Amino acid sequence: VKSEGPKLVPFFKATCVYFVLWLPTSSPSWFSALIKCLPIFCLWVFLLAHGINFLVSHRSASRILAGLIFSAVGDAFLIWQEQGYFIHGLLMFAITHILYSSAFGMKPLDLKAGLLMGIVSSSCYAFLYSYLSGPFTYLVAVYIALIGFMGWRAVAGVQLCNDLWTWTKLSACVGAMLFMVSDLTIALNEFCFPVPYSRFIIMATYYAAQMLIALSAVETRDEEDFRKRS
């Protein structure tokens, strides 16, 4: 916390700016897109502050950075979702989840966690299905499968029973769960019914999720330092 906390100060300040300004979504502009994306830009800086060599030599960290880049593009598209760019944003975040899943890796496998996430994802889609129509019937199914898979890989990394967990793996797990809450709130609000305080819930959980996932990228550096000390 002492070493990583100061690097996150710009992120917290940018997040506060977003919530203080609270620009109306009814009048999208490049300025509102900048304010919305600014916390994610700060997370780019957070990862880059660990050094280019670190990102180049550690695939998981570089993939999380790539995921943050696609997230920012997706955020920009969603500013103009009423103008027909919702699907574009959906595609950008789908790529983000693929990158995050790749960063979390396939070890340990933990099929029980996979089964649990499969049940949760299937239940969410079953609830949304009757509200969907046209291409969204299939696009939402694919998106839920991707974020559910990402959630599985994040949860699988936390081996609490075997005492093999680390704070960064726990960070990835909590971040993935918050991301799922954010996206589920978007889906409910977009396709089903108005969710009270939806924008606050969506953005608060989203920014927290991205911060925690970005924090999980420093795990590879911690492991490398441990191997050197050993």
Side-chain angles (χ1 to χ4, degrees), residues 212-230:
L212 291 169
I213 290 173
L215 271 171
S216 73
V218 304
E219 172 69 19
T220 49
R221 190 182 65 173
D222 292 343
E223 289 176 348
E224 182 182 83
D225 291 343
F226 177 78
R227 286 195 297 269
K228 288 180 178 178
R229 289 196 299 270
S230 299

Side-chain angles (χ1 to χ4, degrees), residues 22-33 78-83 199:
W22 202 243
L23 299 173
T25 57
S26 56
S27 55
S29 66
W30 285 108
F31 179 70
S32 59
L78 291 181
I79 287 288
W80 286 277
Q81 61 178 309
E82 299 299 330
Q83 285 71 36
R199 185 182 172 192

Side-chain angles (χ1 to χ4, degrees), residues 21-86:
L21 292 181
W22 202 243
L23 299 173
T25 57
S26 56
S27 55
S29 66
W30 285 108
F31 179 70
S32 59
L34 174 63
I35 295 301
K36 184 181 182 183
C37 295
L38 192 58
I40 306 303
F41 294 158
C42 291
L43 291 178
W44 297 2
V45 175
F46 166 75
L47 289 180
L48 290 170
H50 291 83
I52 298 297
N53 291 335
F54 168 72
L55 293 172
V56 171
S57 60
H58 295 86
R59 292 182 179 180
S60 60
S62 60
R63 288 169 184 171
I64 287 176
L65 176 60
L68 288 169
I69 293 172
F70 278 99
S71 294
V73 177
D75 282 332
F77 276 129
L78 291 181
I79 287 288
W80 286 277
Q81 61 178 309
E82 299 299 330
Q83 285 71 36
Y85 287 96
F86 182 80

Side-chain angles (χ1 to χ4, degrees), residues 128-149:
L128 293 170
Y129 181 78
S130 60
Y131 295 94
L132 302 172
S133 61
F136 285 110
T137 304
Y138 310 100
L139 291 174
V140 172
V142 173
Y143 187 87
I144 289 178
L146 289 175
I147 194 171
F149 184 82

Side-chain angles (χ1 to χ4, degrees), residues 139-217:
L139 291 174
V140 172
V142 173
Y143 187 87
I144 289 178
L146 289 175
I147 194 171
F149 184 82
M150 187 271 290
W152 169 32
R153 298 322 310 148
V155 171
V158 183
Q159 300 290 301
L160 291 175
C161 295
N162 298 329
D163 198 27
L164 297 176
W165 66 279
T166 62
W167 71 268
T168 45
K169 290 185 183 298
L170 185 61
S171 176
C173 177
V174 176
M177 295 303 100
L178 288 175
F179 217 136
M180 294 180 73
V181 170
S182 179
D183 281 354
L184 179 59
T185 306
I186 291 176
L188 292 174
N189 195 64
E190 183 74 20
F191 301 113
C192 304
F193 47 79
V195 177
Y197 307 106
S198 60
R199 185 182 172 192
F200 177 81
I201 296 170
I202 291 166
M203 297 311 299
T205 53
Y206 170 69
Y207 285 141
Q210 293 283 39
M211 180 196 69
L212 291 169
I213 290 173
L215 271 171
S216 73

